[in-house]
Amino acid sequence: MKSVLSIQSHVAHGYVGGRAAIFPLQTQGWEVDNINTVSFSNHTGYGSFMGTSLQTDELDEILAQLIRLDIKYSAIITGYIPNSALIYMTSKYVQEFKKLQPGLVYLLDPVMGDNNYLYVDKSCVKEYQSILKSKIVDIITPNQFELELLTNIKIINKFSLVQAIKILHEDYDIPYVVVTSVSGEIFDDDCIHCVISTKYQPIRTFSVPTIKSYFTGVGDLFSALLLDKMDKNKGVADQLERLSRAVNQVLTIMAKTLKLTHRLGIQQALKDEEQTSGGAHGKTITGQMNNGDTMKYFELKVIQAKEYYDYDGDGEFVESLLDV
């Protein structure tokens, strides 16, 4: 039985963090043990929220007890962790789990910010860099901004992108690197690019058309699906081919899920507009950060998309070599 320890955020309403990751993993046969780093009413994109963060001693007690019980995991996945003390405690126990279970896979999603906006304290950056130095990470899924923070390299072109990825491989010994979103400005087009890399092999990229709306929880769902697809493609001998196939499958599922989310969101906005005067303009509405009136329509349709998660085809996206 595949089992994973998930350490990330929780919201009562909506689909980010564990709420975006746990159900898809469960549909694919994973036993998921979950630790909530925060428990919020809703994600922060609404502009306001209520809730609490996990205390460091609480995380210490929980993880220590799991060790004492000799709980076995196939993988650990970590996402949003709100402060450096919790990141340090998580790292400490991931190292302990890996000593006890050498085959355990650690997928690190270093959730710190996006689009040049840091939404954790700066001390978190150094703590994530400390995790990298411990060389316990098997798969890492930063976005472009997070890659810059981890490597201290400003990504202004393809060359600097390659240099940053090389640091993850060569300095921190990370086998699988997936940069989930790189700006089209780096590639001189209007797409978002997912860049993948393994040690000593050519870097590859997938071009992903954008949807003109703002969605949250996308990275959390992506990382969860990637963990599953990497496991299901473990029979592929070549590391880069395994990663490429897994990522293409995930991107295909994500594209279907986002299109479904967008379509159903517009439908609901139109329905609400018909029932109320002065409501949302359904045909033109887009999810906007810090705007609860629009964000509520574009919560990921994680449940409705369940039929997509077992996709095992070659993927619908065209892969290309990163030409520097």
Side-chain angles (χ1 to χ4, degrees), residues 147-294:
L147 179 60
E148 292 176 339
L149 293 173
L150 292 172
T151 62
N152 296 314
I153 291 180
K154 181 65 177 178
I155 298 170
I156 57 174
N157 51 35
K158 293 178 184 178
F159 178 78
S160 52
L161 173 61
V162 170
Q163 293 305 112
I165 291 172
K166 281 185 176 180
I167 287 176
L168 297 183
H169 286 313
E170 297 175 5
D171 293 0
Y172 304 126
D173 202 27
I174 301 175
Y176 298 100
V177 174
V178 180
V179 189
T180 56
S181 58
V182 176
S183 168
E185 293 179 3
I186 305 299
F187 292 84
D188 195 27
D189 60 27
D190 295 326
C191 293
I192 293 294
H193 293 262
C194 180
V195 179
I196 67 172
S197 179
T198 56
K199 276 187 173 182
Y200 313 122
Q201 293 178 288
I203 297 174
R204 300 184 185 183
T205 180
F206 295 93
S207 299
V208 181
T210 59
I211 297 177
K212 294 187 181 302
S213 191
Y214 189 88
F215 305 95
T216 58
V218 175
D220 306 313
L221 177 58
F222 182 98
S223 294
L225 292 172
L226 179 61
L227 178 66
D228 178 59
K229 297 309 179 185
M230 285 293 285
D231 179 76
K232 288 178 177 172
N233 285 286
K234 61 187 175 184
V236 179
D238 183 87
Q239 281 191 321
L240 186 56
E241 291 302 326
R242 176 189 179 192
L243 182 62
S244 175
R245 180 175 173 82
V247 168
N248 206 339
Q249 289 172 341
V250 173
L251 289 174
T252 300
I253 297 168
M254 294 299 302
K256 293 176 183 292
T257 301
L258 291 179
K259 287 176 183 176
L260 176 67
T261 297
H262 192 250
R263 177 170 57 82
L264 294 181
I266 294 297
Q267 288 178 359
Q268 186 61 50
L270 284 169
K271 183 177 179 181
D272 289 352
E273 185 181 25
E274 291 174 357
Q275 295 175 350
T276 61
S277 59
H281 298 289
K283 289 184 180 180
T284 58
I285 188 172
T286 59
Q288 298 175 16
M289 196 68 171
N290 297 322
N291 185 338
D293 290 337
T294 61

Side-chain angles (χ1 to χ4, degrees), residues 127-139:
E127 205 57 60
Y128 274 120
Q129 290 172 337
S130 294
I131 290 182
L132 301 189
K133 291 174 184 176
S134 69
K135 299 186 177 181
I136 58 173
V137 178
D138 299 291
I139 307 169

